[in-house]
Amino acid sequence: QDVRALARELSDRGLAPAHRFAATLDAVRIESLPGRLEIGDLPAELAPIARKVDALIGRIDTAFRRERRTSADIAHELRTPISELVTVSEVALRDGRNPEAARKALSTIREIAWRMGTSVSILLKLARLEMGAETPDRRLVDLGEMLGEILRSLSAVARERQIRVENRVETGDSVTADGDVV
């Protein structure tokens, strides 16, 4: 029996670093990932595993930060058009007896919804590009033409808010970019 007790004690001592490392991993919380694991002294056999786990936690933390940034970007991009939708629909509902005004409001709502859909598609593509799940489709993009389209799509809003925007980018002025994102 003394041999068994001695074998158990030696086994426990030998495995103590592995148990400490396991306890450190158990303490990791997804809500607050550590910058680095506090792993202390580990035997040579466990050190490479600890370094790999530490690197993995770092990559997971980076991915979570990117996801939070993407969510914040999406919320920011959608806040203004959602406000516009609410405003246009409230005005149309107040003036419900004028079919022409209602038609104009529905047209504006459709345009805003289209812009929102485009914004969401762009933000999702940017997220995929950041994660490396997609590569940019680089091509020559006519900056003047693109800016002209954007300003035309916002012209009703600009008029309504009495904002004058002057486009000084010439058609034909080009940049190399991902045509789906710009």
Side-chain angles (χ1 to χ4, degrees):
Q1 289 217 352
D2 288 337
V3 173
R4 283 186 188 168
L6 181 60
R8 182 176 185 116
E9 184 177 333
L10 291 174
S11 174
D12 286 347
R13 279 190 202 171
L15 291 175
H19 291 299
R20 280 196 315 273
F21 183 54
T24 299
L25 293 178
D26 280 342
V28 172
R29 295 292 165 247
I30 206 74
E31 303 83 26
S32 58
L33 291 172
R36 298 204 50 82
L37 289 176
E38 298 296 327
I39 53 177
D41 292 332
L42 288 177
E45 298 84 7
L46 287 178
I49 296 169
R51 284 192 298 275
K52 294 290 184 181
V53 169
D54 203 32
L56 176 62
I57 288 173
R59 290 192 306 273
I60 291 169
D61 188 43
T62 299
F64 282 159
R65 279 191 232 166
R66 187 180 305 123
E67 183 179 319
R68 286 189 293 272
R69 189 173 52 244
T70 299
S71 297
D73 288 347
I74 289 171
H76 178 74
E77 286 294 320
L78 293 178
R79 183 178 300 133
T80 300
I82 288 172
S83 295
E84 289 177 58
L85 286 173
V86 170
T87 301
V88 170
S89 62
E90 284 176 349
V91 169
L93 287 171
R94 269 192 237 123
D95 193 20
R97 291 181 297 264
N98 184 342
E100 184 55 37
R103 191 175 357 273
K104 184 178 177 185
L106 284 173
S107 176
T108 302
I109 288 170
R110 183 185 66 217
E111 184 179 307
I112 293 167
W114 179 84
R115 284 195 337 253
M116 287 172 65
T118 301
S119 293
V120 169
S121 294
I122 289 170
L123 287 167
L124 291 174
K125 179 162 186 170
L126 287 171
R128 289 190 303 268
L129 288 169
E130 275 188 357
M131 290 186 299
E134 194 171 324
T135 57
D137 177 24
R138 298 193 183 277
R139 63 180 185 247
L140 208 56
V141 176
D142 187 321
L143 195 57
E145 184 180 314
M146 181 188 67
L147 185 56
E149 286 177 27
I150 292 169
L151 291 176
R152 277 189 296 281
S153 73
L154 296 172
S155 63
V157 175
R159 274 193 309 276
E160 182 181 299
R161 295 182 181 177
Q162 298 178 346
I163 298 172
R164 184 174 175 263
V165 179
E166 187 176 321
N167 179 5
R168 294 187 181 186
V169 179
E170 300 287 328
T171 300
D173 288 349
S174 300
V175 295
T176 301
D178 186 317
D180 294 336
V181 175
V182 292

